[in-house]
Amino acid sequence: GHVDPALPPRDRRRAAGGRVKRLVPAALAAAILAGCGGPSPELFEVQRSGRDENANVKLVVSDGGTVTCNGGESKALDADQLLEARELARDLEAQAALAISLPAEKNSNTRYSVKTSAGTVAFSDTSRGRTPAFNRLIAFTAATAENVCKLER
């Protein structure tokens, strides 16, 4: 039969796998540091527009717990606002991937366009077929614009 060649003798001064044990912490530290210091990914960007000048607002919501309002400085979201934003981003994903755009009905005051990593959705305050997530986004946008960005409506 066939016999495998003999392995060279192990260096008795070093424990088996010693080199691997030293590399794992270094690789782990490098991976942790690579994730630090960079900007947090965006959850979504919402553009609200309307006839009233104060209706026009652009919010960029980040997974790091901040929002920029009309291109200004980042402002902090509280824990509940961040959780709601993350939930909205998840809930809007399927509609965004389908690029859903609902037409406005009569007497529409505001239009919303939301960009997520999956795509874009658009609807108005009077669109038929608005999902519960669309309605929650309307409320989130109003509350964030007024309470976090300090924009008057």
Side-chain angles (χ1 to χ4, degrees):
H2 180 67
V3 177
D4 290 328
L7 293 173
R10 185 166 49 112
D11 183 355
R12 300 248 181 239
R13 290 173 289 175
R14 245 188 299 162
R19 186 177 303 156
V20 172
K21 288 179 186 173
R22 285 193 303 275
L23 290 177
V24 170
L28 185 59
I32 291 170
L33 289 175
C36 295
S40 295
E42 287 180 13
L43 291 171
F44 56 86
E45 172 186 308
V46 59
Q47 180 81 45
R48 182 181 72 190
S49 55
R51 286 182 244 143
D52 177 11
E53 186 178 322
N54 290 339
N56 300 308
V57 65
K58 178 182 175 182
L59 304 177
V60 179
V61 183
S62 136
D63 195 34
T66 61
V67 61
T68 60
C69 314
N70 295 330
E73 290 185 29
S74 291
K75 299 187 183 286
L77 296 172
D78 68 29
D80 289 338
Q81 292 164 327
L82 178 57
L83 289 173
E84 174 66 8
R86 286 176 176 163
E87 192 173 311
L88 278 168
R90 276 191 305 275
D91 292 349
L92 293 168
E93 215 168 88
Q95 291 99 342
L98 296 171
I100 290 179
S101 181
L102 301 177
E105 298 293 320
K106 290 182 181 178
N107 302 320
S108 176
N109 291 315
T110 51
R111 182 103 182 128
Y112 296 82
S113 176
V114 186
K115 292 180 189 174
T116 72
S117 60
T120 303
V121 296
F123 58 93
S124 75
D125 56 342
T126 61
S127 292
R128 286 190 189 155
R130 283 191 328 264
T131 66
F134 290 0
N135 293 332
R136 288 189 3 255
L137 180 87
I138 290 172
F140 177 87
T141 302
T144 303
E146 293 167 19
N147 301 329
V148 179
C149 301
K150 305 297 184 199
L151 302 173
E152 290 188 24
R153 173 73 200 263

